[in-house]
């Protein structure tokens, strides 16, 4: 129908101009182009054409399939679709973003992960804090971390947190830049003010860079700093062991969203240790619609800001 109307308008303009040169005006050519495109391009493809800079996200089959696969109730489904429609201008901006999702029950978040992938977001998963730390050590190029609240782990020892709330405890450790712990006997090496072979080997065993040229300085009675080229480690005496922190890592300040099915009050209280002391403050979500909305908004802000990188690659420190 649209093609017939466009063709009729084009012919009308042609026969209503006396001079041939006037017949080939811009409007005539535009109408003719529309007719050709309509015949050449399938209608399904036309649905994805951007109108006014906004892509019709909900018309994409992968997005439709991901939403339907969530099995939401009618009202929840409607709310999610409305949110995606409202946030359409931002979705193009966040394509290619990388998210690390930590949850010991990955099958419970399969639908959410598929929806994010359908929106162009790369999702990397980890089933434990140890696996997450391993991933972040090998590749820290992430824009956001999503975590559950309740799972088993050992991070509670670092902040006297609830053992069962490993998700919260891990984020606390991550924000503080915690790397690993040393036995108290290494305190005497720190007091000597120089990196020796034993201290260097410990760092190497933990896959951390440290050379004999590193310098050790005392910050206060219970804290030291090791500077080795561009690396800067902070070591804190807890009384029973020495905790080593890395203040250089960009991941220490990555945006974080806790996603759990707790009632809002419980979710708020459980996550206080990871929220109040740090900037940026972590976000909370206990529904899919809220989660997706926050992910899109936060990632759009992250992606619009320059990524801090080194101006040049530095040489590996010599032994």
């Amino acid at each position: 129908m649209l093609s017939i109307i466009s063709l009729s308008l084009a012919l009308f303009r042609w026969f209503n101009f006396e001079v041939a040169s006037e017949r080939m005006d811009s409007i005539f050519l535009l109408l003719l182009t529309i007719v050709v495109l309509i015949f050449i391009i399938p209608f399904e493809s036309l649905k994805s054409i951007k109108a006014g800079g906004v892509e019709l996200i909900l018309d994409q089959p992968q997005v439709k399939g991901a939403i339907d696969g969530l099995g939401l109730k009618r009202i929840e489904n409607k709310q999610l679709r409305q949110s995606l429609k409202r946030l359409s201008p931002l979705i193009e901006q966040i394509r290619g973003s990388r998210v690390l999702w930590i949850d010991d029950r990955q099958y419970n978040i399969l639908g959410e992960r598929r929806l994010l992938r359908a929106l162009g977001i790369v999702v990397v998963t980890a089933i434990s804090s140890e696996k997450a730390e391993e991933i972040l050590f090998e590749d820290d190029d992430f824009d956001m971390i999503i975590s559950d609240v309740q799972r088993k782990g050992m991070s509670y020892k670092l902040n006297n947190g609830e053992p069962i709330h490993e998700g919260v405890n891990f984020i606390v450790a991550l924000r503080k830049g915690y790397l690993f712990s040393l036995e108290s006997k290494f305190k005497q090496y720190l007091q000597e003010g120089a990196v020796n072979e034993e201290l260097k080997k410990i760092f190497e065993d933990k896959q951390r860079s440290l050379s004999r040229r590193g310098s050790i300085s005392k910050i206060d009675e219970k804290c030291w700093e090791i500077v080795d080229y561009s690396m800067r480690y902070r070591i804190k005496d807890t009384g029973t062991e020495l905790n080593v922190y890395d203040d250089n890592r960009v991941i220490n300040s990555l945006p974080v969203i806790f996603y759990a099915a707790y009632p809002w009050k419980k979710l708020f209280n459980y996550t206080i240790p990871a929220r109040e002391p740090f900037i940026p403050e972590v976000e909370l979500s206990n529904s899919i619609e809220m989660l997706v909305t926050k992910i899109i908004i936060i990632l759009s802000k992250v992606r619009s800001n320059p990524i801090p990188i080194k101006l040049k690659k530095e040489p590996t420190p010599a032994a």
Side-chain angles (χ1 to χ4, degrees):
M1 178 62 69
L2 182 60
S3 61
I4 295 174
I5 294 173
S6 300
L7 182 59
S8 300
L9 290 172
L11 292 173
F12 176 78
R13 289 193 63 82
W14 175 272
F15 288 111
N16 279 274
F17 280 88
E18 297 180 356
V19 183
S21 60
E22 292 179 345
R23 293 176 181 173
M24 301 301 290
D25 64 350
S26 58
I27 297 179
F28 171 76
L29 292 175
L30 177 61
L31 292 171
L32 191 60
T33 302
I34 292 174
V35 173
V36 173
L37 288 175
I38 290 174
F39 279 110
I40 294 177
I41 303 176
F43 179 72
E44 288 299 321
S45 299
L46 288 173
K47 281 187 174 183
S48 63
I49 293 178
K50 295 182 180 179
V54 178
E55 189 171 0
L56 304 178
I57 297 297
L58 295 179
D59 286 333
Q60 296 180 355
Q62 66 270 29
V63 176
K64 281 184 175 180
I67 294 175
D68 293 340
L70 291 170
L72 299 175
K73 295 179 181 178
R74 184 175 62 83
I75 295 178
E76 294 173 333
N77 188 297
K78 182 179 179 181
Q79 290 174 338
L80 178 57
R81 290 176 181 275
Q82 288 176 340
S83 295
L84 288 175
K85 184 177 181 180
R86 175 172 54 87
L87 297 170
S88 289
L90 300 180
I91 293 178
E92 183 66 29
Q93 183 179 337
I94 66 173
R95 292 188 190 280
S97 299
R98 300 183 77 235
V99 171
L100 175 61
W101 198 322
I102 313 169
D103 197 306
D104 59 347
R105 298 183 179 182
Q106 290 290 329
Y107 51 84
N108 284 346
I109 54 171
L110 180 60
E112 291 91 330
R113 286 157 44 201
R114 287 182 172 176
L115 177 56
L116 293 189
R117 289 204 303 271
L119 296 176
I121 300 171
V122 179
V123 180
V124 178
T125 60
I127 61 172
S128 66
S129 299
E130 292 75 20
K131 183 62 178 178
E133 183 61 41
E134 180 182 323
I135 292 172
L136 290 170
F137 174 72
E138 295 178 352
D139 178 10
D140 61 357
D141 185 15
F142 287 94
D143 300 295
M144 174 185 288
I145 294 176
I146 304 173
S147 175
D148 59 356
V149 172
Q150 180 175 308
R151 63 175 186 268
K152 294 181 180 180
M154 304 300 291
S155 299
Y156 70 91
K157 294 183 177 181
L158 300 173
N159 64 324
N160 297 318
E162 288 290 335
I164 198 171
H165 293 162
E166 173 63 14
V168 177
N169 299 326
F170 174 72
I171 295 302
V172 171
L174 187 70
R175 285 291 179 87
K176 288 181 177 180
Y178 173 79
L179 296 178
F180 55 88
S181 297
L182 298 171
E183 296 179 16
S184 295
K185 69 176 184 178
F186 285 95
K187 185 175 180 179
Q188 68 182 67
Y189 301 147
L190 299 175
Q191 292 172 337
E192 293 173 0
V195 176
N196 59 22
E197 281 298 329
E198 191 168 356
L199 189 60
K200 177 175 174 290
K201 186 177 185 306
I202 288 291
F203 273 72
E204 288 177 348
D205 290 343
K206 299 294 184 179
Q207 297 182 312
R208 301 293 168 177
S209 173
L210 183 64
S211 71
R212 289 293 302 274
R213 298 181 182 180
S215 62
I216 302 175
S217 58
K218 189 174 183 179
I219 299 176
D220 56 43
E221 290 301 319
K222 292 189 175 182
C223 193
W224 293 263
E225 182 181 63
I226 300 178
V227 178
D228 185 30
Y229 290 86
S230 63
M231 297 304 299
R232 191 179 298 270
Y233 300 104
R234 180 168 41 89
I235 303 178
K236 187 174 182 180
D237 184 4
T238 66
T240 58
E241 58 188 2
L242 302 171
N243 289 341
V244 181
Y245 301 89
D246 179 1
D247 294 330
N248 298 287
R249 301 194 300 178
V250 175
I251 59 174
N252 296 356
S253 57
L254 281 179
V256 174
I257 298 179
F258 283 115
Y259 179 50
Y262 294 121
W264 188 257
K265 186 175 181 179
K266 283 188 176 181
L267 181 59
F268 183 87
N269 291 332
Y270 290 163
T271 56
I272 286 177
R275 287 190 297 104
E276 296 186 345
F278 304 107
I279 298 175
E281 185 173 329
V282 302
E283 295 287 342
L284 311 177
S285 175
N286 60 358
S287 73
I288 295 176
E289 186 273 331
M290 184 188 299
L291 174 68
V292 173
T293 297
K294 289 189 174 184
I295 289 174
I296 294 173
I297 292 175
I298 294 173
L299 285 179
S300 68
K301 294 178 181 178
V302 172
R303 301 286 284 186
S304 62
N305 293 324
I307 301 174
I309 58 174
K310 294 180 180 179
L311 295 178
K312 62 179 181 179
K313 188 178 186 302
E314 297 185 358
T316 302

